[in-house]
Amino acid sequence: MELENFKELWNKDNRQSPPEVSLEKQNEIHSPLQMLKINMETEFWLMVITLPMLLIGSPFSINDVNIRTISICVTILTLALIVYFYSRFLKLYKMLKKSSINTNYDLFNLRTQLLISKEIYISYYISYIPLALLLSLIQINFHFDMEYNLAIFGFSFLITLFLIYIIIRYWIHYMYGKYIKEVVLLVDELNGIEVKPGITTKKTWFERSQKFFMTKYGIKGNVLNTILWFISVYILIIVFLTAVFSIIIIAGIKLHFIDAKSLLNALNKLN
């Protein structure tokens, strides 16, 4: 479908000189583009604030030489991944700031770059799944022979997978996806490509608070709103998963499927 759209737009542009985009349409596209730039600035500062968390539980403090070496390699790999992604992130941000939307060719180029960047963004978070697997193995020192280590490994890995899912499902949508979709639909509509009518939905609490903070404090308000929601959702997920696993453990102990003393010993050895 994307290839067919590409051919159709390419043929239109080659048959005649690039048509000028009306001021009205430029203004329509400017709004979601502005929000994309604001959210990109917000995520950058959020990354700067949260980056020191990588140093919590420094791999240099691990006694086992082999585990420490693996932990250092994982940390370096994570930092390399962040540097690579944010270099692409910065490139897109500069493109959005300098990009012209005066002609049909400009709009099509912008549309293509946004769709590619969205896929790269999703891939960035998916790439954390193997890193999460490694970190979960490090958590139990790669020793499955100890009782309940498999359960502890599974618990750590599932929490990480759940967090990655939430980020991909909701974070990308509210920060970028919905605005990229608006731009894509406007460009397709402008080029006569049939688009499905969007379903009108009520604004979420995140969007309402975002509008309130931005009206009051500008971009700083958007950063504050995003940080507050990020922390709140993170705490809520941890509390929810802790409650679920606590119920499972208590039920297991009551039904004699889990030995409380052995479980505590396994946890103490990890510490």
Side-chain angles (χ1 to χ4, degrees), residues 57-76 135 137-139 141-142:
S58 171
F60 295 100
S61 62
I62 298 173
N63 295 324
D64 189 300
V65 177
N66 294 324
I67 302 298
R68 183 168 66 240
T69 303
I70 294 170
S71 299
I72 292 170
C73 289
V74 171
T75 303
I76 292 171
L135 289 171
L137 287 170
I138 290 170
Q139 189 76 16
N141 293 338
F142 293 85

Side-chain angles (χ1 to χ4, degrees), residues 149-165:
N149 264 17
L150 182 60
I152 294 167
F153 163 78
F155 176 71
S156 304
F157 188 52
L158 282 175
I159 285 180
T160 309
L161 285 182
F162 193 63
L163 287 172
I164 291 173
Y165 169 77

Side-chain angles (χ1 to χ4, degrees), residues 74 77-78 81 122-137 153 156-168:
V74 171
L77 185 60
T78 304
L81 193 65
I122 292 172
S123 301
Y124 168 69
Y125 282 106
I126 290 176
S127 65
Y128 276 99
I129 293 176
L131 289 176
L133 179 66
L134 266 176
L135 289 171
S136 300
L137 287 170
F153 163 78
S156 304
F157 188 52
L158 282 175
I159 285 180
T160 309
L161 285 182
F162 193 63
L163 287 172
I164 291 173
Y165 169 77
I166 292 295
I167 288 171
I168 292 175

Side-chain angles (χ1 to χ4, degrees), residues 41 91 114 124 139-140 158 212 239:
E41 291 174 25
K91 185 179 178 181
L114 287 175
Y124 168 69
Q139 189 76 16
I140 60 170
L158 282 175
F212 170 78
V239 169

